[in-house]
Amino acid sequence: MPVFPTERSVRTTPEGLLWEPSERWVRGVKGDVTVVDSRHPVLVWEPGLPVPCYAFPRAEVRTDLLRPAAHPEPGSHTGSQIFYDLRTDGQQVENAAWTFPAADLADHIAFEWFRRWGSGLDHWYEEEEEIFVHPRDPHKRVDAMPSSRHVRVEIGGTVVGDSHRPVLLFETGLPTRYYLPPEDVRLDLFEPTDHRTGCPYKGRARYWTWRGAGEVPRNIAWSYAEPLPAVAPVKGLVAFYNEAVDITVDGERLERPVTPFTSALKP
């Protein structure tokens, strides 16, 4: 039987991995098959990646569905030793899982998350809640707070949003996002797009693109029609990327921040 760590603290391996035991019940499903059913998962942070992944004790993984990868991807994960293809219900997912060389994690298998790198299982659950994109980081906090601040948003000198009733969303490691009621946004200057994203903390978002002149990134504004309960105050409100628009709060122009989204925000 594997020995499961119980101390709740972040640990470091010689390879530069950070890991921490979790007490959450985590399940991963492919089609109708439960591939992972774990009550002793471990969160692992790889160097240079802002979000964690899960690794699971072998005893809590359907290892009978895993085969050594036909086309392994060395270097795609920190010091990864063995990659596995997943075969179930006549389907094969290449490089769906891997192991870390760290001695602390020697008896664990990590999995790609659905839509994280374009491969993995279909659904992941923590307890009875489905989690999207990547596991939630227990050291990250997201707060949505109604405010009476005066927020003005401009694109190329044109005011596209002006509100005294924003909701401010504070998310660890990211700039404050300002969500405005749609009545306070010039949505007539934008057109909706088919772009959609998912966030494990907020839910699924839809987007709008600027119709005016200038070099403005596509999908510059977004909204959550049905946000997760933790950020319910942003429901139906509209936010803009601080990295690519000009935002003034209570008369003070904010500097455009540099974030992990900056490089992707191209006209």
Side-chain angles (χ1 to χ4, degrees), residues 127-176:
E127 301 301 331
E128 297 302 327
E129 183 175 352
E130 185 169 7
I131 307 298
F132 305 97
V133 187
H134 61 77
R136 292 173 179 165
D137 189 329
H139 303 284
K140 187 170 186 175
R141 186 181 177 96
V142 181
D143 295 302
M145 306 180 69
S147 176
S148 59
R149 296 197 191 198
H150 180 201
V151 177
R152 188 174 71 247
V153 182
E154 300 176 56
I155 295 179
T158 299
V159 177
V160 299
D162 194 310
S163 182
H164 287 271
R165 46 183 185 153
V167 170
L168 277 56
L169 191 136
F170 302 93
E171 184 170 353
T172 305
L174 291 174
T176 303

Side-chain angles (χ1 to χ4, degrees), residues 4-254:
F4 302 121
T6 58
E7 182 181 352
R8 299 193 65 175
S9 63
V10 177
R11 308 167 192 188
T12 305
T13 75
E15 298 80 9
L17 297 166
L18 300 177
W19 67 278
E20 180 180 54
S22 172
E23 295 182 358
R24 301 189 182 195
W25 175 26
V26 179
R27 285 160 292 152
V29 178
K30 182 66 176 177
D32 295 326
V33 178
T34 298
V35 179
V36 176
D37 189 336
S38 177
R39 287 170 170 78
H40 307 89
V42 172
L43 281 164
V44 182
W45 290 263
E46 297 188 57
L49 293 181
V51 299
C53 67
Y54 270 124
F56 307 98
R58 287 180 177 270
E60 299 179 344
V61 174
R62 286 284 306 273
T63 54
D64 59 303
L65 302 176
L66 300 178
R67 302 289 186 275
H71 306 286
E73 298 179 341
S76 58
H77 292 283
T78 302
S80 50
Q81 290 183 316
I82 302 174
F83 284 86
Y84 296 98
D85 294 339
L86 171 68
R87 298 179 184 178
T88 177
D89 289 340
Q91 301 182 62
Q92 176 164 306
V93 182
E94 293 189 352
N95 297 298
W98 73 96
T99 61
F100 290 112
D104 291 348
L105 303 173
D107 197 39
H108 290 69
I109 298 176
F111 279 78
E112 296 287 9
W113 277 63
F114 176 57
R115 293 182 60 189
R116 181 179 174 191
W117 302 108
S119 65
L121 306 188
D122 294 335
H123 302 281
W124 286 97
Y125 300 90
E126 292 179 350
E127 301 301 331
E128 297 302 327
E129 183 175 352
E130 185 169 7
I131 307 298
F132 305 97
V133 187
H134 61 77
R136 292 173 179 165
D137 189 329
H139 303 284
K140 187 170 186 175
R141 186 181 177 96
V142 181
D143 295 302
M145 306 180 69
S147 176
S148 59
R149 296 197 191 198
H150 180 201
V151 177
R152 188 174 71 247
V153 182
E154 300 176 56
I155 295 179
T158 299
V159 177
V160 299
D162 194 310
S163 182
H164 287 271
R165 46 183 185 153
V167 170
L168 277 56
L169 191 136
F170 302 93
E171 184 170 353
T172 305
L174 291 174
T176 303
R177 301 298 190 190
Y178 299 89
Y179 284 76
L180 311 183
E183 299 84 5
D184 297 342
V185 177
R186 290 286 309 276
L187 286 175
D188 59 301
L189 300 177
F190 299 82
E191 61 183 18
T193 73
D194 294 331
H195 186 58
R196 300 291 186 271
T197 60
C199 171
Y201 307 102
K202 298 185 288 293
R204 297 188 182 277
R206 57 171 298 195
Y207 288 77
W208 289 267
T209 284
W210 171 243
R211 295 170 56 189
E215 295 187 355
V216 180
R218 288 185 54 80
N219 302 306
I220 194 68
W222 70 89
S223 179
Y224 291 94
E226 297 293 337
L228 296 176
V231 294
V234 306
K235 181 175 181 176
L237 306 190
V238 181
F240 297 83
Y241 279 109
N242 310 41
E243 298 88 338
V245 302
D246 295 313
I247 298 179
T248 301
V249 179
D250 291 337
E252 180 181 351
R253 176 68 63 84
L254 305 183

